[in-house]
Amino acid sequence: MPLVKAFKATRPTRDKVSLIASRAYETYSKKEREARLDHNPFSFLHIVNPGYKYQKEVSGRKRFGLVKNRFQEFKEDGIFNKDDTPSIYIHRIVYRNEEVFTGLVAKSSCQDYIDGKIKKHEDTILEREKTFSEYLKTVRFNADPVLLTYPKRDSINQIIERYCSDRSEYEFTTTSRETHYLWLIKDENDIKNIEHEFAEMHNIYIADGHHRCASSALLAQKLAQENGKNNGDEDYNYFMSYLISEDQLAIHEFNRLITDLNGLDKDEFLIKLDENFKIENRGETYYKPHNKHHFSMYLDGEFYSLYLRKSQYHFENALEQLDAQILYKTVLKPILNITDLKNDSRIDYIKGQKDMAYVKSAIDQKQFAVGFGMLPPTIEEIKSIADEGLVMPPKTTYIDPKLRSGVTIYEF
Protein backbone atom coordinates (compact mmCIF):
# COMPACT_ATOMS: atom_id res chain seq x y z
CA MET A 1 0.00 0.00 0.00
CA PRO A 2 2.38 2.77 -1.18
CA LEU A 3 1.62 6.23 0.16
CA VAL A 4 1.45 8.97 -2.48
CA LYS A 5 0.29 12.44 -1.47
CA ALA A 6 -0.26 15.95 -2.79
CA PHE A 7 2.08 18.75 -1.70
CA LYS A 8 2.54 22.50 -2.11
CA ALA A 9 5.24 22.84 -4.74
CA THR A 10 7.59 25.77 -4.95
CA ARG A 11 7.56 26.71 -8.63
CA PRO A 12 8.95 29.30 -11.04
CA THR A 13 6.69 32.03 -12.31
CA ARG A 14 5.15 31.17 -15.65
CA ASP A 15 7.24 33.73 -17.57
CA LYS A 16 10.56 32.35 -16.28
CA VAL A 17 10.08 28.59 -16.12
CA SER A 18 11.72 28.01 -19.50
CA LEU A 19 14.77 29.97 -18.38
CA ILE A 20 15.04 28.21 -15.02
CA ALA A 21 14.55 24.57 -16.06
CA SER A 22 17.88 22.80 -16.55
CA ARG A 23 19.23 19.34 -17.19
CA ALA A 24 21.21 17.53 -14.53
CA TYR A 25 24.44 19.43 -13.82
CA GLU A 26 26.77 16.63 -14.95
CA THR A 27 25.10 16.26 -18.38
CA TYR A 28 26.45 19.60 -19.56
CA SER A 29 29.93 20.01 -20.95
CA LYS A 30 32.02 22.68 -19.24
CA LYS A 31 31.54 24.98 -22.24
CA GLU A 32 27.75 24.49 -22.26
CA ARG A 33 27.52 25.04 -18.52
CA GLU A 34 29.52 28.25 -18.59
CA ALA A 35 27.49 29.62 -21.50
CA ARG A 36 24.28 29.14 -19.57
CA LEU A 37 25.73 30.59 -16.39
CA ASP A 38 27.16 33.59 -18.28
CA HIS A 39 24.07 34.43 -20.31
CA ASN A 40 21.07 33.17 -18.31
CA PRO A 41 20.78 34.67 -14.81
CA PHE A 42 17.67 32.58 -14.11
CA SER A 43 19.10 29.12 -14.83
CA PHE A 44 18.74 26.63 -11.99
CA LEU A 45 22.44 25.94 -12.58
CA HIS A 46 23.16 29.14 -10.60
CA ILE A 47 21.59 27.48 -7.56
CA VAL A 48 23.43 24.16 -7.79
CA ASN A 49 26.71 25.84 -8.82
CA PRO A 50 26.72 28.76 -6.38
CA GLY A 51 30.46 29.35 -6.50
CA TYR A 52 30.19 30.62 -10.08
CA LYS A 53 28.97 33.94 -8.70
CA TYR A 54 32.42 34.39 -7.16
CA GLN A 55 34.31 32.70 -10.02
CA LYS A 56 35.44 30.09 -7.53
CA GLU A 57 35.07 26.34 -7.14
CA VAL A 58 33.23 25.58 -3.90
CA SER A 59 32.72 22.06 -2.51
CA GLY A 60 31.55 20.19 0.56
CA ARG A 61 29.52 21.79 3.32
CA LYS A 62 30.43 25.29 2.16
CA ARG A 63 28.78 24.54 -1.20
CA PHE A 64 25.70 23.09 0.49
CA GLY A 65 25.20 26.32 2.43
CA LEU A 66 25.65 28.46 -0.67
CA VAL A 67 23.12 26.34 -2.59
CA LYS A 68 20.62 27.06 0.17
CA ASN A 69 21.45 30.78 -0.01
CA ARG A 70 21.03 30.97 -3.80
CA PHE A 71 17.68 29.21 -3.56
CA GLN A 72 16.51 31.63 -0.88
CA GLU A 73 17.57 34.54 -3.09
CA PHE A 74 15.52 33.21 -6.00
CA LYS A 75 12.51 33.01 -3.68
CA GLU A 76 13.09 36.47 -2.24
CA ASP A 77 13.29 37.90 -5.77
CA GLY A 78 9.91 36.37 -6.61
CA ILE A 79 11.34 33.98 -9.18
CA PHE A 80 9.98 31.03 -7.17
CA ASN A 81 6.68 31.01 -5.31
CA LYS A 82 5.09 28.32 -3.18
CA ASP A 83 1.59 27.12 -4.08
CA ASP A 84 -1.19 27.87 -1.60
CA THR A 85 -3.02 24.58 -2.16
CA PRO A 86 -1.63 21.02 -2.00
CA SER A 87 -1.68 19.59 -5.51
CA ILE A 88 -0.57 16.63 -7.57
CA TYR A 89 1.14 17.85 -10.73
CA ILE A 90 0.84 16.34 -14.18
CA HIS A 91 4.10 16.72 -16.08
CA ARG A 92 4.09 15.78 -19.77
CA ILE A 93 7.23 15.72 -21.91
CA VAL A 94 7.19 15.43 -25.70
CA TYR A 95 10.61 14.50 -27.10
CA ARG A 96 11.86 15.61 -30.49
CA ASN A 97 11.27 12.08 -31.84
CA GLU A 98 7.61 12.50 -30.77
CA GLU A 99 7.85 10.14 -27.80
CA VAL A 100 5.33 11.33 -25.18
CA PHE A 101 5.73 10.75 -21.44
CA THR A 102 3.05 11.77 -18.95
CA GLY A 103 3.35 11.26 -15.21
CA LEU A 104 2.41 12.61 -11.81
CA VAL A 105 4.64 14.69 -9.56
CA ALA A 106 3.74 13.98 -5.93
CA LYS A 107 5.43 13.21 -2.64
CA SER A 108 6.20 9.60 -1.75
CA SER A 109 6.95 8.01 1.59
CA CYS A 110 10.51 7.35 2.76
CA GLN A 111 9.09 4.65 5.05
CA ASP A 112 7.69 2.85 2.00
CA TYR A 113 11.24 2.65 0.64
CA ILE A 114 12.56 1.41 3.99
CA ASP A 115 9.78 -1.19 4.20
CA GLY A 116 10.31 -2.41 0.63
CA LYS A 117 7.04 -1.14 -0.80
CA ILE A 118 9.12 1.00 -3.12
CA LYS A 119 11.46 -1.55 -4.68
CA LYS A 120 14.94 -1.05 -6.09
CA HIS A 121 16.94 -2.88 -8.75
CA GLU A 122 20.31 -1.14 -8.27
CA ASP A 123 22.83 -1.03 -5.46
CA THR A 124 23.65 2.27 -3.81
CA ILE A 125 26.96 3.39 -2.35
CA LEU A 126 26.70 4.26 1.33
CA GLU A 127 29.22 7.12 1.14
CA ARG A 128 27.21 8.75 -1.66
CA GLU A 129 24.05 8.28 0.38
CA LYS A 130 25.62 9.97 3.38
CA THR A 131 26.99 12.88 1.35
CA PHE A 132 23.71 13.55 -0.42
CA SER A 133 21.80 13.10 2.83
CA GLU A 134 23.97 15.81 4.39
CA TYR A 135 23.31 18.01 1.37
CA LEU A 136 19.54 17.53 1.76
CA LYS A 137 19.71 18.27 5.46
CA THR A 138 21.32 21.63 4.65
CA VAL A 139 19.29 22.78 1.64
CA ARG A 140 15.97 21.21 2.70
CA PHE A 141 14.49 20.79 -0.77
CA ASN A 142 14.18 18.27 -3.63
CA ALA A 143 14.58 19.76 -7.10
CA ASP A 144 14.85 16.46 -9.01
CA PRO A 145 12.09 13.91 -8.50
CA VAL A 146 12.83 10.20 -8.18
CA LEU A 147 11.39 8.37 -11.19
CA LEU A 148 8.96 5.71 -9.94
CA THR A 149 6.85 3.38 -12.05
CA TYR A 150 3.58 1.62 -11.37
CA PRO A 151 1.23 -0.84 -13.13
CA LYS A 152 -1.09 0.82 -15.62
CA ARG A 153 -4.29 2.12 -14.03
CA ASP A 154 -7.13 3.23 -16.32
CA SER A 155 -8.72 5.29 -13.55
CA ILE A 156 -5.52 7.32 -13.10
CA ASN A 157 -5.17 7.76 -16.85
CA GLN A 158 -8.73 9.05 -17.08
CA ILE A 159 -8.06 11.73 -14.47
CA ILE A 160 -4.83 12.72 -16.22
CA GLU A 161 -6.43 12.99 -19.64
CA ARG A 162 -9.31 15.06 -18.29
CA TYR A 163 -6.87 17.68 -17.03
CA CYS A 164 -4.68 17.49 -20.13
CA SER A 165 -7.63 18.51 -22.28
CA ASP A 166 -7.44 21.99 -20.70
CA ARG A 167 -4.76 24.60 -21.16
CA SER A 168 -1.63 23.80 -19.17
CA GLU A 169 -0.11 25.97 -16.45
CA TYR A 170 3.28 25.67 -18.17
CA GLU A 171 4.17 25.05 -21.79
CA PHE A 172 7.78 25.54 -22.85
CA THR A 173 10.30 24.04 -25.25
CA THR A 174 13.97 23.54 -24.40
CA THR A 175 17.00 23.97 -26.64
CA SER A 176 17.04 20.16 -26.84
CA ARG A 177 13.62 20.44 -28.52
CA GLU A 178 11.71 18.81 -25.69
CA THR A 179 8.33 20.38 -24.98
CA HIS A 180 7.17 20.35 -21.36
CA TYR A 181 3.64 20.83 -20.02
CA LEU A 182 2.42 21.09 -16.43
CA TRP A 183 -1.13 20.87 -15.05
CA LEU A 184 -2.22 21.16 -11.41
CA ILE A 185 -4.65 18.72 -9.82
CA LYS A 186 -6.16 20.65 -6.92
CA ASP A 187 -9.58 19.03 -6.66
CA GLU A 188 -9.73 17.10 -3.38
CA ASN A 189 -11.81 14.25 -4.83
CA ASP A 190 -9.38 13.72 -7.71
CA ILE A 191 -6.46 13.78 -5.29
CA LYS A 192 -8.17 11.26 -3.01
CA ASN A 193 -8.94 8.98 -5.94
CA ILE A 194 -5.31 9.04 -7.08
CA GLU A 195 -4.05 8.41 -3.55
CA HIS A 196 -6.52 5.53 -3.21
CA GLU A 197 -5.35 3.95 -6.48
CA PHE A 198 -1.76 3.90 -5.28
CA ALA A 199 -2.80 2.58 -1.87
CA GLU A 200 -4.38 -0.40 -3.68
CA MET A 201 -1.07 -1.37 -5.30
CA HIS A 202 1.25 -3.88 -3.65
CA ASN A 203 4.47 -2.19 -4.75
CA ILE A 204 5.88 0.52 -6.96
CA TYR A 205 9.39 0.48 -8.41
CA ILE A 206 12.31 2.86 -8.75
CA ALA A 207 13.12 3.38 -12.40
CA ASP A 208 15.76 6.07 -11.88
CA GLY A 209 17.10 7.92 -8.84
CA HIS A 210 18.18 5.14 -6.46
CA HIS A 211 20.69 7.30 -4.59
CA ARG A 212 18.27 10.21 -4.23
CA CYS A 213 15.66 7.88 -2.79
CA ALA A 214 18.08 6.13 -0.43
CA SER A 215 19.52 9.46 0.76
CA SER A 216 16.07 10.85 1.50
CA ALA A 217 15.23 7.75 3.52
CA LEU A 218 18.52 7.97 5.42
CA LEU A 219 17.85 11.62 6.29
CA ALA A 220 14.26 10.85 7.34
CA GLN A 221 15.54 8.26 9.80
CA LYS A 222 18.07 10.71 11.25
CA LEU A 223 15.57 13.55 11.62
CA ALA A 224 12.97 11.22 13.13
CA GLN A 225 15.48 10.21 15.80
CA GLU A 226 16.26 13.86 16.53
CA ASN A 227 12.56 14.74 16.75
CA GLY A 228 11.16 13.20 19.90
CA LYS A 229 7.60 13.75 18.64
CA ASN A 230 7.98 12.31 15.13
CA ASN A 231 4.61 11.02 13.90
CA GLY A 232 5.59 10.01 10.37
CA ASP A 233 3.70 12.80 8.59
CA GLU A 234 6.44 15.43 8.81
CA ASP A 235 7.58 16.79 5.46
CA TYR A 236 11.05 15.27 5.87
CA ASN A 237 9.44 11.81 5.84
CA TYR A 238 8.67 12.24 2.14
CA PHE A 239 10.56 12.87 -1.09
CA MET A 240 9.43 14.26 -4.43
CA SER A 241 8.65 11.62 -7.04
CA TYR A 242 7.61 11.48 -10.68
CA LEU A 243 5.25 8.54 -11.02
CA ILE A 244 4.74 7.14 -14.48
CA SER A 245 2.86 4.10 -15.75
CA GLU A 246 5.02 1.12 -16.75
CA ASP A 247 3.75 1.20 -20.31
CA GLN A 248 5.11 4.74 -20.76
CA LEU A 249 8.73 4.10 -19.80
CA ALA A 250 11.37 3.97 -22.53
CA ILE A 251 14.11 1.55 -21.48
CA HIS A 252 17.40 1.63 -23.38
CA GLU A 253 20.43 -0.60 -23.06
CA PHE A 254 24.06 0.31 -22.45
CA ASN A 255 26.55 -1.14 -24.92
CA ARG A 256 29.99 -2.21 -23.66
CA LEU A 257 33.36 -1.12 -25.05
CA ILE A 258 36.60 -2.84 -23.94
CA THR A 259 40.09 -1.45 -24.46
CA ASP A 260 41.93 -4.77 -25.01
CA LEU A 261 41.52 -8.54 -25.29
CA ASN A 262 43.39 -9.37 -22.07
CA GLY A 263 46.51 -10.53 -23.90
CA LEU A 264 44.65 -12.75 -26.36
CA ASP A 265 44.87 -12.48 -30.13
CA LYS A 266 41.71 -12.39 -32.20
CA ASP A 267 41.57 -16.13 -32.93
CA GLU A 268 42.25 -17.11 -29.32
CA PHE A 269 39.49 -14.77 -28.18
CA LEU A 270 36.96 -16.22 -30.65
CA ILE A 271 37.82 -19.76 -29.61
CA LYS A 272 37.14 -18.92 -25.97
CA LEU A 273 33.80 -17.30 -26.94
CA ASP A 274 32.87 -20.45 -28.85
CA GLU A 275 32.51 -22.38 -25.60
CA ASN A 276 29.31 -20.53 -24.69
CA PHE A 277 28.14 -18.94 -27.94
CA LYS A 278 27.22 -19.87 -31.46
CA ILE A 279 29.24 -17.33 -33.45
CA GLU A 280 28.53 -15.99 -36.93
CA ASN A 281 30.85 -13.58 -38.73
CA ARG A 282 28.69 -11.01 -40.49
CA GLY A 283 31.55 -9.06 -42.01
CA GLU A 284 30.77 -5.39 -42.56
CA THR A 285 27.01 -5.98 -42.31
CA TYR A 286 25.63 -4.04 -39.37
CA TYR A 287 24.09 -6.40 -36.81
CA LYS A 288 21.80 -5.63 -33.88
CA PRO A 289 20.26 -8.46 -31.81
CA HIS A 290 16.52 -9.08 -32.03
CA ASN A 291 16.12 -11.70 -29.30
CA LYS A 292 17.08 -12.16 -25.68
CA HIS A 293 20.41 -13.92 -25.05
CA HIS A 294 21.65 -12.77 -28.47
CA PHE A 295 24.54 -10.29 -28.60
CA SER A 296 26.23 -8.20 -31.23
CA MET A 297 30.01 -7.85 -31.27
CA TYR A 298 32.32 -5.63 -33.29
CA LEU A 299 35.93 -6.76 -33.51
CA ASP A 300 38.76 -5.93 -35.92
CA GLY A 301 36.54 -4.29 -38.54
CA GLU A 302 33.81 -6.94 -38.56
CA PHE A 303 30.43 -7.53 -36.94
CA TYR A 304 29.59 -10.83 -35.24
CA SER A 305 26.39 -12.29 -33.85
CA LEU A 306 26.74 -14.24 -30.61
CA TYR A 307 23.90 -16.59 -29.64
CA LEU A 308 24.09 -18.07 -26.17
CA ARG A 309 24.14 -21.85 -26.57
CA LYS A 310 20.97 -23.61 -25.41
CA SER A 311 23.13 -25.78 -23.17
CA GLN A 312 23.88 -22.65 -21.13
CA TYR A 313 20.20 -21.90 -20.42
CA HIS A 314 20.42 -22.88 -16.75
CA PHE A 315 19.03 -19.95 -14.78
CA GLU A 316 18.28 -20.09 -11.07
CA ASN A 317 16.94 -16.56 -10.64
CA ALA A 318 15.88 -13.44 -12.53
CA LEU A 319 19.36 -11.90 -12.46
CA GLU A 320 20.99 -14.88 -14.15
CA GLN A 321 18.58 -14.50 -17.08
CA LEU A 322 19.55 -10.86 -17.64
CA ASP A 323 21.67 -10.34 -20.76
CA ALA A 324 24.01 -7.85 -19.08
CA GLN A 325 24.69 -10.44 -16.37
CA ILE A 326 25.16 -13.22 -18.93
CA LEU A 327 27.75 -11.12 -20.77
CA TYR A 328 29.56 -10.45 -17.51
CA LYS A 329 29.55 -14.10 -16.37
CA THR A 330 30.55 -15.63 -19.72
CA VAL A 331 32.82 -13.00 -21.33
CA LEU A 332 33.82 -9.96 -19.32
CA LYS A 333 34.90 -11.73 -16.14
CA PRO A 334 36.28 -15.14 -17.24
CA ILE A 335 37.82 -14.16 -20.59
CA LEU A 336 38.63 -10.45 -20.35
CA ASN A 337 39.32 -10.42 -16.59
CA ILE A 338 37.02 -7.50 -15.89
CA THR A 339 35.69 -8.13 -12.38
CA ASP A 340 34.84 -4.62 -11.18
CA LEU A 341 32.26 -3.25 -13.58
CA LYS A 342 32.07 0.10 -11.77
CA ASN A 343 35.74 0.97 -11.52
CA ASP A 344 37.74 -0.95 -14.12
CA SER A 345 39.18 1.61 -16.56
CA ARG A 346 39.25 -0.98 -19.36
CA ILE A 347 35.46 -0.89 -19.82
CA ASP A 348 33.26 1.96 -20.99
CA TYR A 349 29.49 2.17 -21.39
CA ILE A 350 27.61 3.72 -24.27
CA LYS A 351 23.88 4.52 -24.09
CA GLY A 352 21.88 2.43 -26.52
CA GLN A 353 20.61 5.49 -28.41
CA LYS A 354 24.10 5.71 -29.93
CA ASP A 355 23.87 2.01 -30.96
CA MET A 356 26.53 -0.20 -32.53
CA ALA A 357 27.39 2.35 -35.21
CA TYR A 358 28.97 4.46 -32.47
CA VAL A 359 30.70 1.37 -31.10
CA LYS A 360 32.10 0.62 -34.59
CA SER A 361 33.42 4.17 -34.94
CA ALA A 362 35.18 4.11 -31.55
CA ILE A 363 36.85 0.77 -32.33
CA ASP A 364 37.84 1.78 -35.88
CA GLN A 365 39.56 4.81 -34.34
CA LYS A 366 41.57 2.41 -32.13
CA GLN A 367 40.10 3.78 -28.90
CA PHE A 368 38.86 0.27 -28.01
CA ALA A 369 39.47 -3.30 -29.11
CA VAL A 370 36.02 -4.88 -28.96
CA GLY A 371 32.42 -3.82 -28.36
CA PHE A 372 29.24 -5.65 -27.37
CA GLY A 373 25.57 -4.80 -27.83
CA MET A 374 22.39 -6.36 -26.50
CA LEU A 375 18.68 -5.72 -26.13
CA PRO A 376 17.54 -3.53 -23.24
CA PRO A 377 15.92 -5.21 -20.23
CA THR A 378 12.15 -5.27 -20.12
CA ILE A 379 10.11 -3.78 -17.29
CA GLU A 380 9.16 -7.34 -16.34
CA GLU A 381 12.84 -8.25 -15.91
CA ILE A 382 13.49 -5.14 -13.85
CA LYS A 383 10.54 -5.88 -11.57
CA SER A 384 11.44 -9.57 -11.19
CA ILE A 385 14.98 -8.68 -10.13
CA ALA A 386 13.63 -6.12 -7.64
CA ASP A 387 11.02 -8.57 -6.32
CA GLU A 388 13.72 -11.16 -5.66
CA GLY A 389 15.83 -8.62 -3.78
CA LEU A 390 18.59 -8.74 -6.39
CA VAL A 391 20.43 -5.92 -8.15
CA MET A 392 21.46 -5.41 -11.76
CA PRO A 393 25.06 -4.95 -12.92
CA PRO A 394 26.11 -1.30 -13.27
CA LYS A 395 24.97 0.51 -16.42
CA THR A 396 22.30 -1.99 -17.41
CA THR A 397 19.50 0.48 -18.15
CA TYR A 398 19.14 4.03 -19.37
CA ILE A 399 15.55 5.05 -18.76
CA ASP A 400 13.53 7.93 -20.18
CA PRO A 401 11.98 10.33 -19.39
CA LYS A 402 14.48 12.66 -17.75
CA LEU A 403 12.88 15.63 -16.02
CA ARG A 404 14.35 19.11 -15.82
CA SER A 405 15.52 20.51 -12.49
CA GLY A 406 13.61 23.40 -10.93
CA VAL A 407 10.15 22.98 -12.52
CA THR A 408 8.60 21.72 -9.27
CA ILE A 409 10.45 21.83 -5.96
CA TYR A 410 9.55 20.04 -2.72
CA GLU A 411 10.58 21.86 0.45
CA PHE A 412 10.73 19.98 3.74
Side-chain angles (χ1 to χ4, degrees):
M1 297 177 61
L3 187 61
V4 171
K5 299 182 72 173
F7 70 102
K8 297 178 183 178
T10 299
R11 301 186 289 112
T13 56
R14 186 183 290 175
D15 62 312
K16 294 184 177 65
V17 62
S18 63
L19 297 170
I20 288 169
S22 69
R23 301 199 313 264
Y25 181 84
E26 65 276 4
T27 65
Y28 292 99
S29 68
K30 183 179 180 182
K31 186 176 180 180
E32 287 178 317
R33 202 160 47 233
E34 290 182 351
R36 281 161 172 77
L37 289 165
D38 283 339
H39 302 295
N40 179 4
F42 301 108
S43 173
F44 198 78
L45 292 175
H46 283 286
I47 294 176
V48 295
N49 188 22
Y52 196 79
K53 180 178 181 179
Y54 305 105
Q55 296 298 301
K56 184 178 180 181
E57 288 289 332
V58 184
S59 60
R61 293 181 179 179
K62 185 179 291 186
R63 174 179 168 267
F64 301 166
L66 288 177
V67 169
K68 181 180 180 180
N69 293 345
R70 291 292 89 74
F71 180 56
Q72 293 299 326
E73 288 171 7
F74 271 53
K75 290 201 297 180
E76 290 166 3
D77 290 342
I79 299 168
F80 284 115
N81 296 299
K82 191 167 187 175
D83 287 335
D84 296 327
T85 305
S87 302
I88 292 177
Y89 303 83
I90 303 170
H91 193 146
R92 172 171 287 174
I93 309 171
V94 181
Y95 280 18
R96 63 189 303 173
N97 62 2
E98 298 185 353
E99 283 183 300
V100 180
F101 304 96
T102 308
L104 300 171
V105 179
K107 66 178 186 179
S108 294
S109 167
C110 293
Q111 192 61 46
D112 283 347
Y113 173 79
I114 295 166
D115 293 341
K117 296 175 186 176
I118 296 174
K119 298 202 169 202
K120 64 177 184 177
H121 64 266
E122 290 182 7
D123 259 337
T124 53
I125 301 169
L126 184 57
E127 285 306 309
R128 284 185 62 187
E129 286 182 36
K130 289 178 178 178
T131 299
F132 195 64
S133 176
E134 186 177 350
Y135 167 81
L136 292 174
K137 187 175 183 179
T138 302
V139 302
R140 302 305 284 256
F141 67 79
N142 295 155
D144 301 286
V146 175
L147 182 62
L148 301 178
T149 189
Y150 61 91
K152 182 180 177 182
R153 284 287 199 276
D154 289 337
S155 54
I156 294 178
N157 289 343
Q158 289 166 7
I159 294 173
I160 289 174
E161 290 308 316
R162 176 157 44 85
Y163 279 85
C164 291
S165 65
D166 294 332
R167 183 183 178 186
S168 57
E169 172 73 9
Y170 293 156
E171 178 181 352
F172 65 94
T173 300
T174 70
T175 53
S176 302
R177 299 185 183 179
E178 303 165 2
T179 302
H180 294 251
Y181 303 86
L182 191 81
W183 292 266
L184 278 65
I185 301 176
K186 296 181 179 180
D187 182 83
E188 290 184 4
N189 287 329
D190 288 334
I191 290 172
K192 287 179 181 178
N193 286 335
I194 291 171
E195 291 174 349
H196 175 74
E197 285 294 322
F198 280 102
E200 290 291 305
M201 300 175 192
H202 292 293
N203 303 293
I204 52 180
Y205 296 81
I206 302 175
D208 192 22
H210 284 77
H211 277 93
R212 277 172 278 144
C213 193
S215 300
S216 293
L218 181 62
L219 178 60
Q221 290 175 309
K222 288 181 180 178
L223 294 179
Q225 290 174 356
E226 294 173 7
N227 178 8
K229 298 181 179 179
N230 181 76
N231 61 23
D233 200 39
E234 293 84 359
D235 288 338
Y236 59 72
N237 285 304
Y238 297 86
F239 61 90
M240 185 168 64
S241 58
Y242 182 59
L243 299 121
I244 190 167
S245 178
E246 292 171 3
D247 62 315
Q248 290 215 23
L249 285 178
I251 305 172
H252 307 281
E253 74 279 12
F254 273 95
N255 296 319
R256 272 76 168 134
L257 282 163
I258 317 298
T259 58
D260 61 80
L261 298 182
N262 192 33
L264 302 171
D265 64 28
K266 177 181 174 180
D267 290 337
E268 290 171 331
F269 180 59
L270 289 172
I271 288 171
K272 285 185 176 293
L273 289 177
D274 189 74
E275 180 179 346
N276 292 310
F277 296 94
K278 177 184 176 183
I279 305 171
E280 182 177 344
N281 185 331
R282 296 176 179 261
E284 296 182 2
T285 303
Y286 178 89
Y287 173 71
K288 182 177 176 66
H290 299 288
N291 294 301
K292 288 293 179 185
H293 312 330
H294 291 184
F295 302 84
S296 56
M297 181 177 74
Y298 187 73
L299 172 68
D300 193 26
E302 296 178 308
F303 285 98
Y304 294 80
S305 59
L306 308 180
Y307 296 169
L308 185 68
R309 295 190 182 279
K310 298 292 185 183
S311 59
Q312 301 301 313
Y313 280 45
H314 302 298
F315 308 122
E316 295 185 359
N317 55 50
L319 178 61
E320 291 184 1
Q321 298 183 52
L322 189 71
D323 283 347
Q325 182 71 1
I326 290 171
L327 187 69
Y328 171 67
K329 297 291 285 187
T330 59
V331 181
L332 300 182
K333 183 178 179 180
I335 301 176
L336 296 176
N337 194 32
I338 294 174
T339 58
D340 187 346
L341 294 173
K342 287 184 179 179
N343 301 307
D344 196 316
S345 61
R346 295 170 56 223
I347 186 169
D348 199 6
Y349 301 92
I350 306 300
K351 289 181 288 190
Q353 296 102 315
K354 292 187 176 180
D355 68 33
M356 289 299 290
Y358 182 92
V359 171
K360 176 184 184 301
S361 176
I363 292 172
D364 288 345
Q365 293 173 30
K366 307 301 182 183
Q367 298 174 32
F368 298 91
V370 64
F372 299 93
M374 67 201 85
L375 291 179
T378 64
I379 186 61
E380 289 76 19
E381 287 179 300
I382 293 172
K383 289 170 62 178
S384 293
I385 287 170
D387 287 341
E388 293 180 26
L390 304 170
V391 295
M392 291 183 172
K395 300 293 185 182
T396 298
T397 60
Y398 182 87
I399 297 179
D400 281 324
K402 305 291 185 189
L403 269 67
R404 297 269 163 159
S405 300
V407 178
T408 53
I409 294 174
Y410 175 59
E411 295 189 80
F412 54 88

